[in-house]
């Protein structure tokens, strides 16, 4: 199932919850089952069963052209991230493979929708792109094993881990937070796709283009730590809650490590795309 939050163009101030019938297709309003994606996830198997039965009866849908997609998931407790998690990216950067996941975070307030504008932050001169597969947690997870970790995964979405490299790598005492958690630094979407539709999350093509030019093009086969390992690792330190988001790292091709470095400027359009999920498009303004 492809879970979305959307607004009808006829009533743009009301965010609704629904199921997208296919990428970019019509949407069935499920707001009578749950008011939001987070509430639906918290409803567990019971909410999913009700939605599946409703959808099986071919209910009316809203044309995709008549809606605008919002962020498919909001209101989560945590937005966590994994750094240095692609083997090909580590080769690009020239650093050894880490022995344990490198964890940092963004704030839930960083989340914006799949077509939201990206305001250029005044403090930075080194705005960069990163396409990432984001994991959506489905139920409370504390100290879970790697073997059982996938039982706690609800689904996945595409994320753009926007980064201010000067503040990530050169300022703020070496702490990454300011360079990763400025306003609108986490566009996600277009949908939360349930894990059953994704299949193997460790074999998904993902790419990033800037103004149509391919910058990143890889596959999640390059993960150092897979989804199961990442979920298990984080759960040893912090209890994961339904709706929590984990960005799983980025492949090579980010601007900071190009020769010479390349950075985003006002007017640029970034597309981050992942197989079976879809794209987020963000214009720098």
């Amino acid at each position: 199932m492809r879970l979305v939050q959307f607004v009808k163009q006829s009533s743009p101030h009301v965010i609704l919850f629904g199921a997208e019938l296919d990428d970019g297709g019509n949407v069935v309003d499920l707001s009578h089952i749950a008011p939001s994606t987070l509430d639906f996830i918290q409803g567990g198997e019971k909410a999913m069963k009700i939605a599946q039965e409703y959808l099986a009866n071919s209910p009316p849908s809203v044309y995709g052209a008549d809606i605008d997609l919002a962020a498919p998931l909001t209101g989560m407790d945590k937005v966590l991230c994994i750094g240095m998690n692609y083997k090909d990216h580590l080769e690009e950067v020239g650093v050894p493979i880490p022995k344990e996941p490198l964890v940092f975070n963004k704030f839930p307030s960083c989340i914006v929708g799949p077509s939201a504008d990206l305001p250029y932050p005044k403090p930075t001169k080194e705005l960069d792109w990163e396409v990432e597969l984001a994991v959506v947690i489905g139920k409370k997870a504390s100290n879970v094993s790697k073997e059982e970790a996938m039982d706690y995964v609800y689904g996945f979405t595409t994320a753009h881990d926007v980064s201010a490299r000067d503040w990530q790598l050169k300022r703020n005492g070496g702490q990454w937070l300011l360079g990763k958690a400025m306003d609108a630094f986490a566009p996600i979407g277009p949908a939360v796709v349930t894990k059953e539709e994704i299949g193997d999350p460790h074999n998904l093509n993902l790419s990033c283009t800037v103004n149509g030019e391919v910058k990143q093009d890889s596959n999640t086969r390059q993960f150092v730590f897979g989804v199961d390992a990442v979920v298990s690792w984080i759960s040893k330190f912090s209890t994961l809650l339904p709706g929590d988001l984990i960005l799983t790292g980025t492949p090579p091709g980010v601007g900071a490590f190009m020769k010479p470095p390349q950075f985003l400027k006002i007017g640029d359009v970034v597309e981050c795309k992942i197989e079976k999920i879809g794209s987020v498009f963000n214009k720098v303004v």
Side-chain angles (χ1 to χ4, degrees), residues 214-275:
V214 176
K215 301 294 185 181
Q216 296 180 278
D217 186 10
S218 188
N219 187 285
T220 55
R221 287 192 303 267
Q222 293 288 329
F223 276 154
V224 176
F225 302 102
V227 172
D228 49 358
V230 165
V231 170
S232 174
W233 178 259
I234 293 175
S235 77
K236 298 179 189 302
F237 303 92
S238 298
T239 299
L240 293 167
L241 300 177
D244 281 353
L245 205 62
I246 305 173
L247 280 64
T248 54
T250 199
V254 297
F257 298 106
M258 292 185 173
K259 298 180 181 179
Q262 299 179 14
F263 297 108
L264 295 170
K265 59 186 182 300
I266 292 175
D268 286 345
V269 177
V270 183
E271 178 188 5
C272 294
K273 182 178 182 179
I274 300 181
E275 181 183 2

Side-chain angles (χ1 to χ4, degrees), residues 16-222:
L16 302 171
F17 164 67
E20 190 179 43
L21 299 182
D22 53 67
D23 186 13
N26 292 3
V27 171
V28 175
D29 189 344
L30 299 179
S31 297
H32 64 289
I33 298 174
S36 69
T37 306
L38 180 60
D39 285 290
F40 185 77
I41 293 171
Q42 291 170 336
E45 294 180 2
K46 182 178 180 181
M48 177 60 76
K49 183 178 179 181
I50 294 171
Q52 289 173 334
E53 291 175 351
Y54 181 68
L55 292 169
N57 292 318
S58 302
S61 60
V62 184
Y63 288 113
D66 294 334
I67 66 170
D68 293 315
L69 293 178
L73 178 64
T74 49
M76 68 286 288
D77 186 70
K78 291 181 284 297
V79 178
L80 299 162
C81 311
I82 305 298
M84 302 297 179
N85 198 34
Y86 277 74
K87 298 168 189 173
D88 46 4
H89 180 47
L90 293 168
E91 294 172 2
E92 171 189 51
V93 179
V95 298
I97 293 177
K99 296 181 180 179
E100 55 195 30
L102 190 165
V103 182
F104 61 98
N105 73 292
K106 295 176 181 279
F107 299 119
S109 60
C110 297
I111 298 291
V112 294
S115 60
D117 286 341
L118 176 58
Y120 197 110
K122 291 182 179 179
T124 184
K125 296 181 179 178
E126 297 183 355
L127 194 65
D128 206 350
W129 57 83
E130 292 189 9
V131 59
E132 305 209 8
L133 176 69
V135 179
V136 179
I137 297 299
K139 56 185 179 180
K140 186 176 180 180
S142 178
N143 201 32
V144 302
S145 69
K146 180 179 175 181
E147 290 70 27
E148 62 183 345
M150 289 303 297
D151 292 339
Y152 295 84
V153 173
Y154 193 88
F156 302 88
T157 193
T158 301
H160 180 187
D161 178 8
V162 186
S163 305
R165 298 300 185 195
D166 39 6
W167 285 95
Q168 177 193 358
L169 303 174
K170 304 171 187 176
R171 306 283 297 273
N172 200 38
Q175 297 290 323
W176 286 17
L177 182 64
L178 287 183
K180 289 288 191 173
M182 296 184 191
D183 290 344
F185 267 27
I188 62 171
V192 170
V193 183
T194 52
K195 63 182 177 183
E196 293 78 12
E197 287 204 19
I198 293 295
D200 183 7
H202 306 106
N203 187 22
L204 297 172
N205 294 321
L206 72 170
S207 63
C208 176
T209 65
V210 178
N211 302 326
E213 180 181 349
V214 176
K215 301 294 185 181
Q216 296 180 278
D217 186 10
S218 188
N219 187 285
T220 55
R221 287 192 303 267
Q222 293 288 329

